[in-house]
Amino acid sequence: MLAELAADPGVLLPFILIGFAAQLIDGALGMAYGTISSTLLVGLGVPPAVASAGVHTAETFTTGVSAISHIAHRNVDWRLFGRIVVPGMIGGVLGAYVLSNIHADAARPFVLGYLLLLGFYLSWRGWTHRHVVKTPRIVAPLGLVGGFLDAAGGGGWGPVVTSNLMVQGAEPRFTIGTVNTAEFFLTTTVSLTFLLTLGWEAFTTAIIGLLIGGIVAAPIGAVVAKRVEADKLLLLVGLVLTATSGWGLYRLLTA
C-alpha cells in the first residue's frame, strides 16, 4: 500500500472525496455514512466485503472527530445522550453476536420499508413546517433496537435512532449532535474485536482516503447542524432517509 501511495498519491483522491461527502451528510443530518460510502466504493470496483470492512474501520475514527465537533458546537443534549448511549452499546453487542451466529437478513426488507415511510413522514413535516419540539419518551428501547440493527446489518444507527427521535418531537439540531456523539461509543464497541483481528492490514488505500475525507468533513457537518433551521434540517433528514432506504429496498428486491 505504501509503495502504491508513494508512486501515485492521486489514487487516494476518489476515496477522500467519498469519505468527505459521506461524513459531511452524516455529520449534518445524523445518518447515511455507511450507505453512501459503501455504495460509492462498490461502484468504484471495491469488493463488497472489503468495502464493508473499510467503512466500519474508518467510521470508528470519523465518528470520534464528529463527536468532538458536535460537543464543541454545543449540539449535544447530555441528558438524551445518557439515556441512549448504554442501551445502544448493549444492542450493538447483541447484534454482533446474532450476526456471528444467525442470519438476520430476513428483517432487512421490513426495516427498510419502515424507514422509507418515516422518510416520507419527516419530509412532509419539514415541508409543511409542522415540527413541534417535545421531549421524546421512548429513548432507551430505541437505542437498544438501533444498536442491534446497526450491528446485525438490518438497518443503521443513524436512520433508526435519529428519525424516530425526530418523529417523537426531539429538536433536530440536538438530536443529530447527540446521535452522532453516541455513535462513536457504539461503533467502537462493535468494531473493537474486528480492528484487533485485522490489525494494520485493515488500513488499505481506500480506508486511508475515507479517513482523510471524513476527518476534514466532520467539523463542517457539526456547523451545518448548528446553523440550519430546524424545519429545513427535518426536511433534509427526511429526503436523505427516503433516498437511502428506498435505494436499499430496491437493491434488495431486485437482487
Side-chain angles (χ1 to χ4, degrees):
M1 180 189 70
L2 292 177
E4 181 184 7
L5 290 178
D8 183 13
V11 298
L12 277 177
L13 184 59
F15 305 112
I16 292 174
L17 294 176
I18 290 172
F20 182 88
Q23 184 56 49
L24 180 62
I25 294 173
D26 189 271
L29 303 179
M31 64 180 67
Y33 178 88
T35 302
I36 293 171
S37 52
S38 295
T39 300
L40 292 177
L41 285 176
V42 172
L44 286 176
V46 178
V50 176
S52 177
V55 168
H56 280 84
T57 303
E59 195 172 19
T60 303
F61 297 91
T62 57
T63 53
V65 178
S66 181
I68 293 171
S69 301
H70 279 291
I71 292 170
H73 288 281
R74 300 181 180 179
N75 293 341
V76 180
D77 180 337
W78 290 108
R79 183 179 179 185
L80 180 61
F81 174 85
R83 295 172 65 192
I84 206 169
V85 65
V86 174
M89 293 167 66
I90 294 172
V93 171
L94 293 175
Y97 174 79
V98 169
L99 183 62
S100 301
N101 296 277
I102 303 172
H103 291 291
D105 290 344
R108 289 199 70 189
F110 301 100
V111 173
L112 290 171
Y114 171 70
L115 293 176
L116 182 63
L117 293 176
L118 278 187
F120 283 127
Y121 179 63
L122 290 173
S123 299
W124 172 76
R125 283 177 57 172
W127 182 262
T128 57
H129 308 285
R130 295 190 177 183
H131 187 68
V132 179
V133 176
K134 301 177 182 177
T135 301
R137 300 178 63 182
I138 303 175
V139 177
L142 181 59
L144 186 69
V145 172
F148 178 87
L149 291 176
D150 187 82
W157 170 259
V160 171
V161 180
T162 300
S163 61
N164 278 279
L165 287 174
M166 288 187 181
V167 165
Q168 294 183 63
E171 165 67 41
R173 168 190 168 187
F174 294 111
T175 300
I176 293 168
T178 303
V179 171
N180 267 274
T181 301
E183 187 177 18
F184 167 70
F185 295 90
L186 169 69
T187 305
T188 301
T189 300
V190 174
S191 302
L192 185 58
T193 303
F194 172 71
L195 290 171
L196 291 175
T197 301
L198 288 180
W200 288 105
E201 295 179 5
F203 288 86
T204 62
T205 301
I207 294 177
I208 297 299
L210 290 178
L211 280 172
I212 295 173
I215 289 172
V216 172
I220 303 174
V223 173
V224 173
K226 178 179 181 179
R227 297 189 177 181
V228 176
E229 295 177 2
D231 289 333
K232 292 181 181 178
L233 275 178
L234 199 68
L235 177 60
L236 290 172
V237 167
L239 292 175
V240 170
L241 184 60
T242 300
T244 54
S245 56
W247 173 246
L249 192 59
Y250 170 79
R251 290 180 60 188
L252 196 64
L253 296 177
T254 56

